[in-house]
Amino acid sequence: MADTHIVIPLYPEVTHLDFTGPHQVLARMPGVKMTVASKGGMDIDADGLVFTRLADLAQVEACDVICIPGGFGTTAAMLDEDFMKEITRLAKGAKYLTSVCTGSLILAATGLIQGKRAGCHWAWRDQLKPFGVIVDEARVVRDGNVITGGGVTAGLDFALTLAAELAGPEMAQSIQLGLEYAPAPPFNSGRPETAPPEILAAVKLRMAAAQAGREGAAVEAARRLGLVGV
Amino acid sequence: MADTHIVIPLYPEVTHLDFTGPHQVLARMPGVKMTVASKGGMDIDADGLVFTRLADLAQVEACDVICIPGGFGTTAAMLDEDFMKEITRLAKGAKYLTSVCTGSLILAATGLIQGKRAGCHWAWRDQLKPFGVIVDEARVVRDGNVITGGGVTAGLDFALTLAAELAGPEMAQSIQLGLEYAPAPPFNSGRPETAPPEILAAVKLRMAAAQAGREGAAVEAARRLGLVGV
């Protein structure tokens, strides 16, 4: 039997932990082939970590699973027609459409998850709406063959869920033990509902600054798909 | 005030999530300069992810924090005299000596944490003993200026602890919220104590296979330090 082929597409300003977490979980699974790709195979600098020897997205013939990470570059990526052409082509042929964090916006911008439930980073969830995607606040969201994670670190919980789907719960548990994934955060500030109000206010301000000038991207990408009143 | 300089040294067969987790937590902190380095600045292939544009370890003058990741390559790294010379030099001048996973073995091989408590990946903890390091099973272990994490994913809990130490608990909580770190593992298999017995047995077998031929490395490294009866 051929290996299960998992493709992780990267783009400028991706958040590296969005994909390094899932990659570490999935790469050591037997029977899995991982391909990490970018437009033209270009190197990707993510917060100062530079990833090289990437596959050229246009040269990746097909995959079983497409797993799209998020990051501040999501908004530019979903308006990059060359990039979206390859993402859409690969997603159309994939058995599972998956994402972590704001990667679900790119998935949404393929037009292939309209009417489906999906997760996203808490501060960016509303941007799923122009695509007709139903926002789900869960950490890992499954709707048929669409499996999406919440913000950044949700990639670990997402990837263990995907590993169980692909190779069974025993394999997922073995990987969890190997990676000693028994999290014990020193604070309880990981969700808007649990963070102290002054922390939430400060992070919301920072997120708004990061989003400034990018608010229209989802609407524009949805318009290109014919999803928003033209 | 000068930025806090955090150095992450890489080596062949490092486990990438050991440092990508902490890097993502620490890199966005204001007032922090991150340097990721390797011997000669060589590219590092970690489970198929290739990291490039790394600093040359020998050219890194000094740091405030050294943060050493783990991986199957630990045993070779701690016997690499050129590598250990630079690690020891940097660690001697650092304010905090830190590690994730089996990175504590490299820290131990500097001879600088003898008599201190340290954490390590559960399957490799005993290798701390030849160095006179006191094994601690906690997920994040602090003994004075030595802060060490358990296996792989403990790097996230470790890094938030370090962020709180460097910049206060509010900053750590802001980062936690930004990374949506409210973990919800789909299984409870992350520690030997909680994993199903058959899963533990299978992973122990796999770990033993990975350790085969490398069991003597810690004793040899300790002997070079004069810590084991010569």
Side-chain angles (χ1 to χ4, degrees):
Chain A
M1 205 181 72
D3 283 346
T4 299
H5 188 198
I6 302 177
V7 170
I8 298 177
L10 305 187
Y11 51 87
E13 279 195 276
V14 67
T15 296
H16 63 69
L17 187 53
D18 281 22
F19 66 91
T20 56
H23 184 278
Q24 194 73 71
V25 168
L26 301 167
R28 290 183 184 171
M29 277 175 63
V32 160
K33 178 189 168 193
M34 303 292 298
T35 298
V36 185
S38 64
K39 216 168 79 167
M42 68 175 164
D43 288 358
I44 295 290
D45 181 335
D47 288 307
L49 283 185
V50 185
F51 297 83
T52 193
R53 289 187 238 162
L54 302 175
D56 178 355
L57 212 40
Q59 303 297 319
V60 180
E61 278 191 32
C63 64
D64 300 294
V65 181
I66 186 163
C67 175
I68 309 177
F72 292 114
T74 311
T75 46
M78 63 185 172
L79 292 177
D80 178 334
E81 291 186 6
D82 295 332
F83 179 77
M84 286 308 303
K85 186 183 140 203
E86 304 304 339
I87 297 295
T88 305
R89 176 181 62 80
L90 287 168
K92 273 184 178 159
K95 197 170 160 195
Y96 295 98
L97 308 184
T98 77
S99 65
V100 176
C101 194
T102 54
S104 60
L105 297 175
I106 293 177
L107 207 50
T110 65
L112 297 172
I113 64 166
Q114 200 189 351
K116 300 271 190 180
R117 286 181 298 107
C120 191
H121 189 289
W122 61 265
W124 299 74
R125 282 181 196 136
D126 283 351
Q127 304 227 5
L128 284 169
K129 292 178 184 170
F131 299 104
V133 173
I134 302 156
V135 172
D136 193 315
E137 299 193 358
R139 192 152 173 88
V140 180
V141 179
R142 175 158 195 175
D143 188 345
N145 69 335
V146 180
I147 309 177
T148 52
V152 196
T153 55
L156 286 168
D157 303 314
F158 151 79
L160 287 170
T161 303
L162 180 61
E165 169 75 17
L166 295 174
E170 292 78 14
M171 176 55 67
Q173 289 174 88
S174 293
I175 294 170
Q176 184 180 4
L177 181 55
L179 300 179
E180 210 171 317
Y181 186 46
F187 305 101
N188 185 24
S189 185
R191 293 179 64 91
E193 299 78 26
T194 65
E198 67 281 10
I199 300 288
L200 178 58
V203 175
K204 274 189 170 171
L205 266 181
R206 219 177 59 211
M207 291 286 173
Q211 289 171 342
R214 310 188 191 204
E215 303 88 345
V219 169
E220 171 58 24
R223 181 174 291 130
R224 290 186 191 178
L225 289 169
L227 293 175
V228 179
V230 190
Chain B
M1 204 180 75
D3 283 348
T4 299
H5 188 198
I6 302 177
V7 170
I8 299 177
L10 305 188
Y11 51 87
E13 278 194 276
V14 67
T15 296
H16 63 70
L17 187 53
D18 282 22
F19 67 90
T20 55
H23 184 278
Q24 194 73 71
V25 169
L26 301 168
R28 290 184 184 172
M29 276 174 64
V32 160
K33 178 188 168 194
M34 303 291 299
T35 298
V36 186
S38 63
K39 216 169 80 168
M42 68 175 164
D43 288 359
I44 295 291
D45 181 336
D47 289 307
L49 283 185
V50 185
F51 297 84
T52 193
R53 288 187 239 164
L54 302 175
D56 178 354
L57 211 40
Q59 303 296 321
V60 180
E61 278 191 32
C63 64
D64 300 295
V65 180
I66 185 163
C67 174
I68 310 177
F72 292 115
T74 312
T75 46
M78 65 185 171
L79 292 177
D80 178 335
E81 291 187 5
D82 295 333
F83 179 77
M84 286 308 303
K85 185 183 139 202
E86 303 305 338
I87 297 295
T88 305
R89 175 180 63 80
L90 287 168
K92 273 184 177 159
K95 196 168 160 195
Y96 295 98
L97 308 184
T98 78
S99 65
V100 176
C101 195
T102 55
S104 60
L105 297 176
I106 293 177
L107 207 49
T110 65
L112 296 172
I113 64 166
Q114 200 188 349
K116 300 270 190 182
R117 286 180 299 108
C120 190
H121 189 289
W122 61 265
W124 298 75
R125 283 181 196 136
D126 284 351
Q127 304 227 6
L128 284 170
K129 292 179 184 169
F131 298 105
V133 174
I134 302 156
V135 172
D136 193 315
E137 299 192 357
R139 192 152 173 90
V140 180
V141 179
R142 174 159 196 176
D143 189 345
N145 69 335
V146 180
I147 309 177
T148 52
V152 196
T153 56
L156 286 168
D157 303 314
F158 151 79
L160 287 171
T161 303
L162 180 61
E165 169 74 17
L166 295 174
E170 291 78 13
M171 176 56 65
Q173 288 173 89
S174 293
I175 295 171
Q176 183 181 5
L177 180 56
L179 300 177
E180 210 171 317
Y181 186 46
F187 306 101
N188 185 23
S189 186
R191 294 179 63 90
E193 299 78 26
T194 65
E198 68 279 11
I199 300 288
L200 179 58
V203 175
K204 275 189 169 171
L205 265 180
R206 219 177 60 210
M207 291 287 173
Q211 288 171 341
R214 308 187 192 204
E215 304 88 343
V219 170
E220 171 58 22
R223 181 175 290 129
R224 290 185 191 177
L225 290 170
L227 293 175
V228 179
V230 191

